[in-house]
Amino acid sequence: MSPSSRWRRWLAFAGVLATVAAGSGAAVPTPALTASRDPTPRDEALLHDAEELLIQRCMRQGGFAYWVVEYAPPPRSPTSWTT
C-alpha cells in the first residue's frame, strides 16, 4: 500500500469519526446531510475506505484480525451496455 493511499484511508477514517461525533447531538439537519445527489465514484471510494478502517478497528478491539480490502468499483450492469 502506498503512503498516499494510507494517508487517504486515515483521512477518510478521521472524517467519519468527526461526522459521527459532530452529528450525534445535532437538532437541525445541515444542508450537506439533506442534499440529494448520487455519490460520485470518488465519494464511493472514500466511503468504502472509511468503512473498511472502521470495521478493522472494531474487529481488532474484539481480538480478531481483519484485512482492509481495496476498493473495486462495481461492474456495469448489463442494461447500461451499448450494442
XYZ file of all heavy atoms in Angstrom:
638
model
N 0.857 -1.170 0.000
C 0.000 0.000 0.000
C 0.899 1.227 0.000
O 1.817 1.321 0.795
C -0.897 -0.028 1.240
C -1.848 1.100 1.282
S -2.927 1.157 2.742
C -3.307 -0.497 3.104
N 0.635 2.166 -0.868
C 1.473 3.356 -0.989
C 1.195 4.324 0.170
O 0.114 4.295 0.760
C 1.210 4.044 -2.320
O -0.063 4.633 -2.304
N 2.162 5.192 0.482
C 1.955 6.167 1.561
C 0.753 7.074 1.311
O 0.033 7.421 2.232
C 3.259 6.961 1.586
C 4.277 6.049 0.995
C 3.528 5.215 -0.021
N 0.523 7.472 0.044
C -0.612 8.353 -0.233
C -1.935 7.624 -0.008
O -2.911 8.216 0.437
C -0.546 8.890 -1.658
O -0.634 7.839 -2.588
N -1.954 6.325 -0.288
C -3.163 5.537 -0.049
C -3.431 5.416 1.450
O -4.570 5.510 1.894
C -3.014 4.156 -0.674
O -4.137 3.375 -0.406
N -2.363 5.194 2.211
C -2.508 5.117 3.662
C -3.030 6.442 4.220
O -3.910 6.463 5.065
C -1.148 4.796 4.299
C -1.166 3.443 4.949
C 0.118 3.158 5.651
N 0.823 2.200 4.814
C 2.058 2.320 4.388
N 2.779 3.339 4.743
N 2.596 1.413 3.630
N -2.484 7.551 3.733
C -2.907 8.878 4.186
C -4.382 9.099 3.859
O -5.142 9.604 4.675
C -2.025 9.942 3.536
C -2.482 11.331 3.831
C -3.037 12.196 2.957
C -2.453 12.001 5.088
N -3.342 13.369 3.587
C -3.006 13.281 4.904
C -2.025 11.643 6.358
C -3.127 14.195 5.937
C -2.155 12.573 7.385
C -2.695 13.824 7.159
N -4.792 8.697 2.656
C -6.182 8.877 2.255
C -7.107 8.051 3.146
O -8.178 8.502 3.549
C -6.347 8.464 0.796
C -7.726 8.753 0.258
C -7.817 8.388 -1.173
N -7.771 6.944 -1.293
C -8.456 6.241 -2.165
N -9.210 6.852 -3.028
N -8.369 4.940 -2.202
N -6.692 6.847 3.489
C -7.522 5.995 4.353
C -7.674 6.606 5.744
O -8.762 6.624 6.303
C -6.926 4.601 4.457
C -7.088 3.803 3.214
C -6.364 2.468 3.361
N -6.508 1.706 2.161
C -7.511 0.855 1.940
N -8.414 0.680 2.847
N -7.583 0.198 0.818
N -6.574 7.083 6.312
C -6.659 7.680 7.642
C -7.470 8.967 7.614
O -8.213 9.263 8.541
C -5.265 7.927 8.217
C -4.678 6.654 8.746
C -3.622 5.972 8.247
C -5.163 5.883 9.850
N -3.417 4.828 8.970
C -4.347 4.739 9.968
C -6.203 6.025 10.753
C -4.539 3.774 10.938
C -6.400 5.063 11.724
C -5.565 3.951 11.808
N -7.355 9.724 6.548
C -8.145 10.936 6.409
C -9.639 10.597 6.328
O -10.479 11.250 6.952
C -7.712 11.711 5.169
C -8.326 13.080 4.966
C -8.015 13.985 6.136
C -7.804 13.692 3.684
N -9.966 9.554 5.592
C -11.355 9.113 5.486
C -11.874 8.658 6.845
O -12.997 8.989 7.242
C -11.473 7.984 4.463
N -11.064 7.907 7.560
C -11.456 7.420 8.873
C -11.685 8.589 9.830
O -12.688 8.623 10.554
C -10.380 6.479 9.423
C -10.721 5.876 10.738
C -11.719 4.911 10.833
C -10.071 6.262 11.885
C -12.044 4.342 12.042
C -10.394 5.705 13.103
C -11.383 4.750 13.191
N -10.794 9.570 9.807
C -10.946 10.744 10.667
C -12.215 11.512 10.303
O -12.915 12.022 11.177
C -9.719 11.647 10.540
N -12.522 11.579 9.006
C -13.740 12.255 8.575
C -14.998 11.583 9.088
O -15.948 12.236 9.514
N -15.005 10.254 9.050
C -16.163 9.511 9.556
C -16.321 9.734 11.054
O -17.417 9.991 11.546
C -16.033 8.003 9.240
C -17.061 7.193 10.003
C -16.172 7.773 7.754
N -15.212 9.659 11.784
C -15.288 9.877 13.229
C -15.760 11.294 13.555
O -16.579 11.495 14.446
C -13.929 9.619 13.874
C -13.476 8.166 13.911
C -12.103 8.065 14.564
C -14.478 7.308 14.643
N -15.263 12.287 12.826
C -15.680 13.668 13.065
C -17.157 13.857 12.749
O -17.873 14.561 13.463
C -14.825 14.622 12.230
N -17.627 13.220 11.694
C -19.031 13.329 11.314
C -19.931 12.706 12.373
O -20.947 13.273 12.755
C -19.277 12.645 9.953
O -18.448 13.271 8.980
C -20.728 12.744 9.538
N -19.540 11.537 12.854
C -20.329 10.864 13.887
C -20.342 11.691 15.166
O -21.387 11.890 15.781
C -19.782 9.444 14.149
C -20.423 8.828 15.371
C -20.005 8.571 12.934
N -19.184 12.213 15.556
C -19.101 13.000 16.793
C -19.889 14.295 16.678
O -20.574 14.700 17.612
C -17.639 13.289 17.115
N -19.814 14.965 15.555
C -20.494 16.247 15.389
C -21.988 16.079 15.141
O -22.782 16.903 15.560
C -19.873 17.025 14.228
N -22.372 15.011 14.480
C -23.764 14.843 14.099
C -24.631 14.158 15.128
O -25.838 14.127 15.000
N -24.045 13.615 16.174
C -24.836 12.838 17.122
C -25.775 13.688 17.962
O -26.814 13.221 18.381
C -23.915 12.026 18.037
O -23.061 12.893 18.752
N -25.455 14.969 18.200
C -26.305 15.798 19.035
C -26.999 16.911 18.285
O -27.620 17.774 18.884
N -26.903 16.915 16.976
C -27.481 18.000 16.183
C -29.002 17.889 16.161
O -29.552 16.835 15.895
C -26.933 17.972 14.764
N -29.676 19.015 16.422
C -31.133 19.027 16.411
C -31.670 19.360 15.020
O -32.733 18.908 14.635
C -31.657 20.037 17.425
N -30.929 20.158 14.265
C -31.363 20.578 12.940
C -30.420 19.995 11.901
O -29.212 20.157 12.010
C -31.356 22.126 12.831
C -31.781 22.569 11.445
C -32.238 22.731 13.904
N -30.950 19.296 10.897
C -30.054 18.728 9.883
C -29.376 19.823 9.075
O -29.978 20.857 8.790
C -30.970 17.879 9.014
C -32.336 18.390 9.265
C -32.337 18.989 10.646
N -28.139 19.592 8.738
C -27.399 20.559 7.929
C -27.690 20.315 6.456
O -28.086 19.216 6.076
C -25.890 20.427 8.172
O -25.493 19.123 7.785
C -25.532 20.670 9.631
N -27.513 21.318 5.601
C -27.776 21.130 4.169
C -26.963 19.990 3.562
O -27.436 19.299 2.687
C -27.384 22.470 3.551
C -27.512 23.452 4.657
C -27.169 22.700 5.908
N -25.733 19.782 4.048
C -24.902 18.710 3.493
C -25.525 17.338 3.756
O -25.362 16.420 2.965
C -23.501 18.772 4.078
N -26.235 17.208 4.873
C -26.844 15.917 5.202
C -28.167 15.709 4.474
O -28.630 14.588 4.356
C -27.063 15.804 6.710
C -25.804 15.819 7.575
C -26.174 15.804 9.046
C -24.912 14.635 7.245
N -28.792 16.777 4.000
C -30.079 16.644 3.333
C -29.975 16.771 1.820
O -30.973 16.646 1.130
C -31.059 17.709 3.862
O -30.505 18.995 3.628
C -31.339 17.515 5.345
N -28.777 17.052 1.311
C -28.614 17.189 -0.138
C -28.894 15.855 -0.812
O -28.456 14.814 -0.353
C -27.202 17.665 -0.466
N -29.640 15.903 -1.902
C -29.944 14.657 -2.600
C -29.210 14.648 -3.942
O -29.553 15.383 -4.854
C -31.449 14.508 -2.808
O -31.931 15.588 -3.558
N -28.185 13.845 -3.995
C -27.444 13.643 -5.231
C -26.832 12.258 -5.167
O -26.636 11.703 -4.091
C -26.351 14.698 -5.429
C -25.220 14.629 -4.418
C -24.079 15.546 -4.834
N -23.033 15.570 -3.839
C -22.031 14.693 -3.772
N -21.941 13.728 -4.647
N -21.117 14.784 -2.836
N -26.568 11.717 -6.308
C -25.922 10.416 -6.352
C -24.455 10.568 -5.988
O -23.824 11.558 -6.358
C -26.032 9.812 -7.755
C -27.448 9.414 -8.093
O -28.220 9.128 -7.146
O -27.787 9.397 -9.287
N -23.909 9.608 -5.242
C -22.493 9.708 -4.891
C -21.620 9.538 -6.132
O -21.922 8.741 -7.019
C -22.274 8.563 -3.902
C -23.386 7.618 -4.155
C -24.537 8.422 -4.676
N -20.551 10.299 -6.170
C -19.594 10.181 -7.272
C -18.712 8.964 -7.023
O -18.679 8.440 -5.895
C -18.717 11.442 -7.351
O -17.925 11.519 -6.152
C -19.546 12.698 -7.513
N -17.994 8.489 -8.028
C -17.066 7.376 -7.793
C -16.044 7.703 -6.692
O -15.673 6.833 -5.909
C -16.383 7.191 -9.142
C -17.392 7.662 -10.136
C -18.085 8.816 -9.455
N -15.630 8.957 -6.618
C -14.694 9.353 -5.563
C -15.351 9.252 -4.187
O -14.730 8.798 -3.220
C -14.220 10.772 -5.823
C -13.159 11.226 -4.861
C -12.639 12.585 -5.238
N -11.613 12.984 -4.301
C -10.954 14.096 -4.358
N -11.188 14.943 -5.334
N -10.050 14.399 -3.462
N -16.623 9.671 -4.083
C -17.363 9.545 -2.820
C -17.460 8.077 -2.409
O -17.266 7.736 -1.243
C -18.786 10.108 -2.951
C -18.837 11.605 -3.126
O -17.864 12.290 -2.767
O -19.867 12.082 -3.641
N -17.789 7.219 -3.362
C -17.938 5.795 -3.064
C -16.629 5.193 -2.580
O -16.609 4.401 -1.635
C -18.441 5.053 -4.294
C -19.883 5.381 -4.635
C -20.354 4.711 -5.908
O -19.551 4.017 -6.569
O -21.539 4.882 -6.242
N -15.525 5.569 -3.205
C -14.220 5.045 -2.788
C -13.868 5.536 -1.384
O -13.371 4.764 -0.553
C -13.148 5.462 -3.787
N -14.143 6.797 -1.110
C -13.843 7.362 0.200
C -14.680 6.692 1.291
O -14.163 6.321 2.349
C -14.094 8.868 0.189
C -13.719 9.624 1.450
C -12.213 9.583 1.668
C -14.194 11.059 1.346
N -15.956 6.506 1.026
C -16.826 5.832 1.992
C -16.406 4.388 2.213
O -16.426 3.883 3.341
C -18.282 5.903 1.526
C -18.921 7.282 1.591
C -20.280 7.261 0.908
C -19.052 7.743 3.029
N -16.011 3.717 1.148
C -15.548 2.332 1.269
C -14.321 2.256 2.164
O -14.246 1.419 3.061
C -15.224 1.761 -0.116
C -14.607 0.404 -0.041
N -13.252 0.220 0.030
C -15.156 -0.826 0.008
C -12.989 -1.074 0.110
N -14.133 -1.728 0.092
N -13.351 3.147 1.929
C -12.125 3.141 2.731
C -12.425 3.418 4.200
O -11.883 2.757 5.088
C -11.133 4.171 2.200
C -10.560 3.790 0.849
O -10.728 2.628 0.418
O -9.936 4.665 0.218
N -13.295 4.375 4.462
C -13.654 4.701 5.845
C -14.355 3.517 6.514
O -14.073 3.190 7.671
C -14.550 5.930 5.870
N -15.237 2.866 5.787
C -15.946 1.709 6.325
C -14.976 0.577 6.659
O -15.065 -0.037 7.723
C -16.986 1.228 5.315
C -17.751 0.007 5.765
C -18.739 -0.476 4.715
O -18.954 0.211 3.702
O -19.283 -1.569 4.918
N -14.051 0.305 5.743
C -13.075 -0.762 5.965
C -12.214 -0.478 7.198
O -11.955 -1.377 8.001
C -12.181 -0.931 4.739
C -12.876 -1.583 3.565
C -13.198 -3.043 3.813
O -12.301 -3.794 4.232
O -14.355 -3.428 3.594
N -11.778 0.763 7.361
C -10.950 1.102 8.515
C -11.730 1.006 9.818
O -11.200 0.569 10.842
C -10.367 2.502 8.348
C -9.290 2.611 7.272
C -8.945 4.073 7.024
C -8.053 1.840 7.673
N -12.988 1.401 9.782
C -13.823 1.311 10.981
C -14.062 -0.155 11.361
O -13.961 -0.522 12.533
C -15.151 2.029 10.739
C -16.091 2.138 11.932
C -15.423 2.875 13.081
C -17.361 2.854 11.520
N -14.337 -0.988 10.378
C -14.527 -2.417 10.648
C -13.246 -3.015 11.213
O -13.274 -3.771 12.196
C -14.962 -3.166 9.369
C -16.361 -2.743 8.959
C -14.895 -4.679 9.579
C -16.781 -3.241 7.592
N -12.108 -2.675 10.601
C -10.825 -3.205 11.067
C -10.578 -2.826 12.531
O -10.172 -3.654 13.336
C -9.694 -2.691 10.190
C -8.335 -3.254 10.586
C -7.217 -2.685 9.753
O -7.142 -1.462 9.577
N -6.364 -3.546 9.228
N -10.834 -1.571 12.851
C -10.613 -1.115 14.224
C -11.513 -1.857 15.207
O -11.061 -2.293 16.268
C -10.847 0.386 14.302
C -10.558 0.954 15.656
C -10.686 2.443 15.650
N -10.331 2.971 16.951
C -10.483 4.214 17.290
N -10.950 5.083 16.435
N -10.159 4.629 18.493
N -12.771 -1.985 14.876
C -13.708 -2.682 15.767
C -13.335 -4.160 15.928
O -13.402 -4.702 17.034
C -15.132 -2.557 15.235
S -15.796 -0.882 15.319
N -12.938 -4.784 14.838
C -12.554 -6.203 14.902
C -11.306 -6.380 15.768
O -11.233 -7.316 16.568
C -12.305 -6.750 13.504
C -13.545 -6.819 12.636
S -14.752 -8.025 13.195
C -13.978 -9.527 12.644
N -10.334 -5.487 15.619
C -9.115 -5.579 16.433
C -9.425 -5.388 17.912
O -8.840 -6.042 18.761
C -8.090 -4.555 15.973
C -7.379 -4.976 14.722
C -6.276 -4.015 14.374
N -5.580 -4.467 13.169
C -4.744 -3.727 12.481
N -4.486 -2.489 12.865
N -4.155 -4.202 11.409
N -10.337 -4.463 18.214
C -10.717 -4.251 19.614
C -11.383 -5.496 20.191
O -11.308 -5.744 21.380
C -11.646 -3.050 19.744
C -10.938 -1.727 19.560
C -11.887 -0.542 19.608
O -13.108 -0.695 19.628
N -11.327 0.660 19.613
N -12.031 -6.261 19.332
C -12.667 -7.500 19.770
C -11.724 -8.698 19.762
O -12.139 -9.819 20.041
N -10.467 -8.468 19.391
C -9.492 -9.552 19.392
C -9.420 -10.339 18.102
O -8.838 -11.422 18.069
N -9.997 -9.823 17.039
C -9.992 -10.508 15.753
C -9.039 -9.814 14.782
O -8.639 -8.680 15.003
C -11.402 -10.515 15.140
C -12.410 -11.246 15.975
C -13.204 -10.545 16.873
C -12.562 -12.616 15.874
C -14.142 -11.209 17.647
C -13.485 -13.285 16.647
C -14.277 -12.584 17.539
N -8.719 -10.499 13.721
C -7.903 -9.912 12.656
C -8.829 -9.562 11.494
O -9.779 -10.287 11.201
C -6.842 -10.895 12.191
N -8.537 -8.449 10.854
C -9.322 -8.029 9.689
C -8.392 -7.303 8.739
O -7.664 -6.406 9.140
C -10.472 -7.091 10.101
C -11.381 -6.719 8.959
C -12.423 -7.548 8.585
C -11.179 -5.547 8.242
C -13.260 -7.219 7.527
C -12.006 -5.211 7.182
C -13.040 -6.043 6.835
O -13.853 -5.716 5.785
N -8.402 -7.715 7.480
C -7.551 -7.102 6.477
C -8.394 -6.183 5.605
O -9.444 -6.572 5.098
C -6.878 -8.165 5.607
C -5.872 -8.934 6.395
C -4.547 -8.669 6.492
C -6.108 -10.073 7.230
N -3.933 -9.575 7.323
C -4.865 -10.447 7.789
C -7.242 -10.804 7.572
C -4.741 -11.525 8.657
C -7.107 -11.872 8.431
C -5.871 -12.217 8.963
N -7.929 -4.978 5.450
C -8.633 -3.981 4.647
C -8.608 -4.399 3.187
O -7.570 -4.769 2.650
C -7.988 -2.591 4.823
C -8.611 -1.582 3.889
C -8.129 -2.139 6.267
N -9.761 -4.359 2.557
C -9.907 -4.734 1.153
C -9.867 -3.474 0.304
O -10.538 -2.490 0.614
C -11.248 -5.482 0.932
C -11.458 -5.808 -0.518
C -11.309 -6.716 1.800
N -9.078 -3.498 -0.762
C -9.005 -2.356 -1.670
C -10.353 -2.143 -2.353
O -11.077 -3.099 -2.638
C -7.936 -2.580 -2.737
C -6.528 -2.591 -2.181
C -6.065 -1.230 -1.692
O -6.442 -0.210 -2.300
O -5.344 -1.200 -0.691
N -10.673 -0.905 -2.637
C -11.935 -0.576 -3.303
C -11.891 -0.997 -4.772
O -10.920 -0.744 -5.476
C -12.207 0.928 -3.215
C -13.451 1.349 -3.962
C -14.707 1.017 -3.477
C -13.375 2.053 -5.151
C -15.855 1.392 -4.152
C -14.510 2.440 -5.828
C -15.748 2.101 -5.319
O -16.880 2.473 -6.002
N -12.930 -1.644 -5.199
C -13.095 -2.004 -6.611
C -14.488 -1.544 -7.017
O -15.488 -1.979 -6.435
C -12.968 -3.505 -6.803
N -14.590 -0.645 -7.989
C -15.915 -0.167 -8.394
C -16.783 -1.326 -8.870
O -16.268 -2.285 -9.442
C -15.637 0.808 -9.535
C -14.171 0.923 -9.667
C -13.529 -0.081 -8.780
N -18.071 -1.253 -8.617
C -18.954 -2.332 -9.064
C -18.977 -2.405 -10.589
O -18.819 -1.390 -11.271
C -20.320 -1.944 -8.509
C -20.231 -0.491 -8.215
C -18.796 -0.178 -7.956
N -19.171 -3.607 -11.124
C -19.226 -3.729 -12.586
C -20.471 -3.037 -13.130
O -21.470 -2.873 -12.429
C -19.298 -5.232 -12.817
C -19.796 -5.800 -11.546
C -19.363 -4.872 -10.453
N -20.380 -2.626 -14.376
C -21.546 -2.008 -15.009
C -22.655 -3.047 -15.148
O -22.400 -4.224 -15.347
C -21.186 -1.505 -16.397
C -20.161 -0.422 -16.385
C -19.868 0.087 -17.761
N -20.062 -0.932 -18.791
C -19.787 -0.772 -20.067
N -19.285 0.361 -20.478
N -19.979 -1.726 -20.941
N -23.880 -2.580 -15.080
C -24.995 -3.501 -15.242
C -25.202 -3.771 -16.733
O -24.909 -2.925 -17.590
C -26.269 -2.899 -14.645
O -26.698 -1.815 -15.418
N -25.694 -4.964 -17.077
C -25.912 -5.287 -18.485
C -26.844 -4.313 -19.190
O -26.742 -4.109 -20.386
C -26.524 -6.682 -18.436
C -26.118 -7.247 -17.137
C -26.000 -6.069 -16.201
N -27.760 -3.674 -18.443
C -28.689 -2.740 -19.086
C -28.007 -1.454 -19.539
O -28.538 -0.745 -20.380
C -29.838 -2.366 -18.133
O -29.279 -1.813 -16.940
C -30.682 -3.586 -17.788
N -26.801 -1.169 -18.995
C -26.105 0.040 -19.408
C -25.124 -0.209 -20.542
O -24.475 0.706 -21.018
C -25.352 0.642 -18.201
O -24.299 -0.203 -17.816
N -25.003 -1.467 -20.970
C -24.089 -1.785 -22.075
C -24.649 -1.250 -23.387
O -25.861 -1.271 -23.631
C -23.879 -3.271 -22.208
C -23.175 -3.886 -21.021
C -22.562 -3.230 -20.003
C -23.053 -5.273 -20.760
N -22.053 -4.114 -19.113
C -22.332 -5.383 -19.539
C -23.456 -6.419 -21.392
C -22.012 -6.600 -18.982
C -23.132 -7.631 -20.837
C -22.416 -7.714 -19.638
N -23.782 -0.791 -24.215
C -24.222 -0.340 -25.529
C -23.912 -1.426 -26.545
O -22.944 -2.162 -26.419
C -23.503 0.966 -25.937
O -22.108 0.746 -25.913
C -23.882 2.096 -25.009
N -24.734 -1.531 -27.533
C -24.526 -2.584 -28.541
C -23.908 -2.032 -29.785
O -23.879 -0.892 -30.057
C -25.853 -3.263 -28.907
O -26.765 -2.256 -29.331
C -26.384 -4.033 -27.732
